[in-house]
Amino acid sequence: MSSAPTPMLRQYLELKEKYPGTILFFRLGDFYEMFNDDAIIGSKVLDITLTARQKNTENPIPMCGIPHHAAAGYIAKFVRAGYRVAICEQTEEATPGKKLVNRDVVRIITPGTAIDEQLLDSSVPTYLAALCGSGGGYGIAYLDLSTGEFSAVEFEGAGAWRSLISDLETIEPGELLFPKGLKPLLESEFGAIGNDSIKPGGLFESENSSRNTSITFTELIDSTFVSKTATDLLKHQFEISDLSVLGLENSPLAVLAAGACLQYAFDTQKAAVTHIKGIRLIDRKDHMVLDALTIRNLELVRSTSDKSAKTLVGILDETCTPMGSRELRSWLLRPSMNLREIDARKSAVRDLMMPILRGQIRSELKKVSDLERLIGRVSLGTANPRDFNLIADSIDGFPSIEAGLAEMESVFGGMLAPDLQGLGHISDAIKSTISDDPPALIGDGGFIRDGFNPELDELRGISLSAKQTIAGFEEAARQETGIGALHIKFNNVFGYFIEVSKSNLSKVPEHFERKQTLANAERFTTPELKQWEQKVLGAEEEIRSLENKLFKELSGFVNKHSRELQRAAKAIATIDTLASLAETADRRGYTEPELHAGDELLVKNGRHPVVEAYATEPFVPNDILLNNSTDRLLIITGANMGGKSTLLRQVALIQILAQIGSFVPASKAKIPICDRVWTRVGASDDLASGRSTFMVEMTETATILRNATPRSLILLDEIGRGTSTFDGLAIAWAVSEYLHDSAEHAAKTLFATHYHELTELAEKLKGAKNYRISAKEIDGKVVFLHKLEAGKASQSYGIAVGRLAGLPVEVVSRAEEVLKILEEFELAVISKDSTRKGLAAAVAGANATEAVAQISLFAVSNEALIDELRETDLDQISESEALEALRRLKSRII
């Protein structure tokens, strides 16, 4: 039989319709319940039992639930899977005779709006992003709701979309908001974005996606991206009359994106987001650009081989606070191009190299909690009493940190100290209000300090007296009835009651009023117990109400000072980051680099910071000289496993370290300001979009060639190896010439290659130089020296590496035979079938002299012969002169 929905289910369905695209956590008593499709999904995602409501009907309703006190962990599982969770609570107290209480959604938790500790990584920001625009330009805003950090950036010109995607992949927001019109473009990048109202909008290693991403995509109605609406939202949020105060008056796309972020924050939090105090318009010219590919190739924040800490941030992060850890990560992903700012940071690091001063400051920093996120929770109304004590304890450590800053010669000491002053009254207010050891949950009560409020103290006295009186009832009742096992108990449903086992029911007096029957006991009450129960419960209700009122007043007070607290938090994050850089520099023997506005990059005894940290043997340092004239293009050859890739990466890492204001792993370093580091290393297919390894390589190379500038640093590793020898060599040659000659795109370039023919570029191009990673072969075994030397390598020792890797002896021996023949014929170009036959015969074991000798493709003398032949006018010379010229040219062929 079928059954119409009950009033409670109708209430659920109405809310579900109001909040599509979410998993609705519907509060019923001590549980959050899910129904229908939500329940089916919940049972799978949370791995809990699926039950049913109205089981005896034709259409039972799937159902599953979780305890409300343990909801945070379950919500975290949903959000990490890309789902949005709507929290529905009772909005009124249940009263006798009221069958259905009002309920409403009080908060929506999404991958981009997470503020709970269970959902956050303390060292990594969680961003909500909003995107808008068209072919002419795009705007994107990033909001970390947990801290209030808010920024926006605009992209214009022919490469605007590609630049935006690069920025998006670098920042890695948890959730991206976008209008319908941009869906096709996003799908061209990330694969199909589903419209299902329940399934997550994000792509998670989708086989339909051209790249893996953890971004959840959320399509918003077009009316969200309206200029006037966005402008009004920003003016109201920041209490300004004109956008020029924010520097956004000429950035309409940034305004639209920022407005969408703010509106979404309001809609999901159901509360004022007062901790969002400002927005920063990012000028991309102020920072070195690092795209997602370069960040991955250099392993700045994530290892490509495993989930270990073998990354640059893992080496540098000696921070004492989560705020410092996030700040350090921010600096690494957007290194500064402001020479004055870099020098200021460097001078602060230099000051903090003094162990006693650094130790003093770091000791106090360790006492500071995550103020940024604590302030965010206060603003959003999710802070608990213990959070307030953490804020107070953090403030109490500021004077000692300020004293340390006063000893610094750097301008940072004077800049940061004022932000830590004058906050003691906030700590005093918290400590006078909140008890020393409060419960974690407001609902548990007892968190307001005794003596703070006379009315509260009086109510607590009444409650305590009544409880003591009720406890006395128990002993009196035992004496009266002779029932030694009589107990007075309490629960939220029945209040206070007398419980008697069934074996003692004959001894129960007549004036005991039966309240509840259990399997093995009966529960009773008396008029006197009822009277005192009313006193206790009445007092406790008033206590709860008053405590909540006092807590709300404290929250309001602290929230009024959130701007000052945020400035203090930012100062703490900055000094913590600088102290961390000094700690790393001191511990690992880094030196202060010289930053300058010229083009010369000079590194003496440079080391790879990550490889050095984890190497089991001493790291071999190397020197590098690059500039935009005589040493613009370095062709690096050498043995497989010799360290060419390590050298390339270490130069880039030293450049990045220098531009965040860090000391560097070298004995001396002179570093120019670089606008971008480009990398083309490694190999990977993009099968989902039909792109081979070589196609990916060429696409990445094309991006570099079209966008690099003379202020860029380029790392190329084995360009052209993904196709045939001749195609690859031709491409590598042309790429090298372009990077050397192009007036617009010529950049300082390190080109590691096994194409030894490329070494001849150094004889043709004035800014090209040959270098090799040295190795020796001793008794048939290769020894890698890992040392960079001027000149070109004589061989790549590939077969020796194959031997080390465990190739069968027969394979190694045969490879050596074939290599000898190939080298004899100088296989650079094969243009005739007879030549191919000759080579095949030689490899098969025939007389080597039967093969046709080859002309080296890039021999300089041969090129000169070809030029001379082209210039000879055969119509103007006699037969004898032509024959003589032919003899002369033939004699000069190599």
Side-chain angles (χ1 to χ4, degrees), residues 555-576:
S555 298
F557 171 78
V558 173
N559 202 31
K560 284 181 180 179
H561 295 282
S562 58
R563 188 183 295 275
E564 300 101 292
L565 288 169
Q566 285 177 328
R567 282 199 291 263
K570 186 67 174 178
I572 291 295
T574 301
I575 191 63
D576 191 17

Side-chain angles (χ1 to χ4, degrees), residues 480-507:
E480 177 187 355
T481 62
I483 304 173
L486 179 149
H487 297 285
I488 293 181
K489 297 182 178 180
F490 174 84
N491 66 32
N492 289 325
V493 177
F494 293 100
Y496 285 93
F497 53 82
I498 301 168
E499 186 170 286
V500 179
S501 64
K502 288 199 171 180
S503 61
N504 289 307
L505 289 181
S506 61
K507 300 179 182 180

Side-chain angles (χ1 to χ4, degrees), residues 84 128-133 139 161 168 175-187 190-195 201-202 215-222 224-225 257 260-261 264:
R84 304 165 186 85
L128 169 70
L131 167 64
C132 66
W161 178 253
L168 189 63
E175 185 174 7
L176 177 65
L177 314 175
F178 65 95
K180 183 178 180 180
L182 288 181
K183 188 174 182 179
L185 273 174
L186 287 171
E187 289 190 324
F190 298 101
I193 298 171
N195 289 317
I215 299 173
T216 293
F217 298 90
T218 301
E219 182 179 329
L220 300 181
I221 57 176
D222 290 341
T224 306
F225 299 89
C261 266
Y264 195 72

Side-chain angles (χ1 to χ4, degrees), residues 443-454:
D444 291 339
F447 50 83
I448 299 297
R449 183 181 295 277
D450 289 336
F452 175 71
N453 183 277

Side-chain angles (χ1 to χ4, degrees), residues 18 65 75 207 234 341 369 462 472 592 666 792 802 861 873 875:
K18 189 177 178 181
I75 293 171
E207 61 184 359
L234 293 173
E341 178 182 39
S369 299
I462 293 172
E592 181 178 355
K792 52 189 177 182
S861 57
D873 188 347
D875 295 330

Side-chain angles (χ1 to χ4, degrees), residues 309-431:
K310 295 180 180 180
T311 62
L312 183 60
V313 74
I315 297 300
L316 295 180
D317 195 350
E318 297 289 346
T319 57
C320 302
T321 71
M323 298 174 292
S325 188
R326 294 193 295 270
E327 185 78 352
L328 174 60
R329 182 187 176 94
S330 174
W331 288 10
L332 273 178
L333 294 179
R334 281 192 169 129
S336 176
M337 288 181 61
N338 186 316
L339 187 56
R340 181 176 297 180
E341 178 182 39
I342 296 170
D343 283 340
R345 290 179 183 176
K346 279 200 303 123
S347 65
V349 173
R350 187 190 318 126
D351 290 344
L352 292 166
M353 289 292 282
M354 295 184 289
I356 295 177
L357 174 60
R358 186 173 73 252
Q360 171 194 338
I361 291 176
R362 283 170 57 81
S363 176
E364 294 301 325
L365 285 172
K366 291 174 182 177
K367 302 174 185 177
V368 178
S369 299
D370 196 343
L371 274 177
E372 288 179 330
R373 286 181 170 167
L374 288 171
I375 297 161
R377 292 206 287 272
V378 171
S379 170
L380 294 169
T382 62
N384 62 49
R386 293 180 183 176
D387 289 336
F388 282 87
N389 279 354
L390 291 175
I391 293 173
D393 291 341
S394 298
I395 292 172
D396 289 345
F398 288 177
S400 297
I401 298 173
E402 184 188 344
L405 293 174
E407 297 183 35
M408 295 174 59
E409 296 181 5
S410 164
V411 295
F412 267 105
M415 288 170 51
L416 300 178
D419 291 335
L420 301 180
Q421 298 168 353
L423 300 175
H425 66 292
I426 301 175
S427 174
D428 293 341
I430 293 172
K431 291 194 168 184

Side-chain angles (χ1 to χ4, degrees), residues 826 854-868 870 889 892-894:
E826 298 182 41
Q854 302 301 305
I855 299 176
S856 177
L857 175 63
F858 297 120
V860 175
S861 57
N862 288 353
E863 288 185 353
L865 294 180
I866 293 171
D867 290 339
E868 186 175 335
R870 286 196 186 102
L889 292 174
R892 290 165 53 192
I893 291 176
I894 295 177

Side-chain angles (χ1 to χ4, degrees), residues 622 770-774 785 787-792:
N622 278 299
N770 283 328
Y771 285 89
R772 63 173 178 262
I773 299 292
S774 58
L785 303 180
K787 196 67 181 175
L788 185 69
E789 302 173 339
K792 52 189 177 182

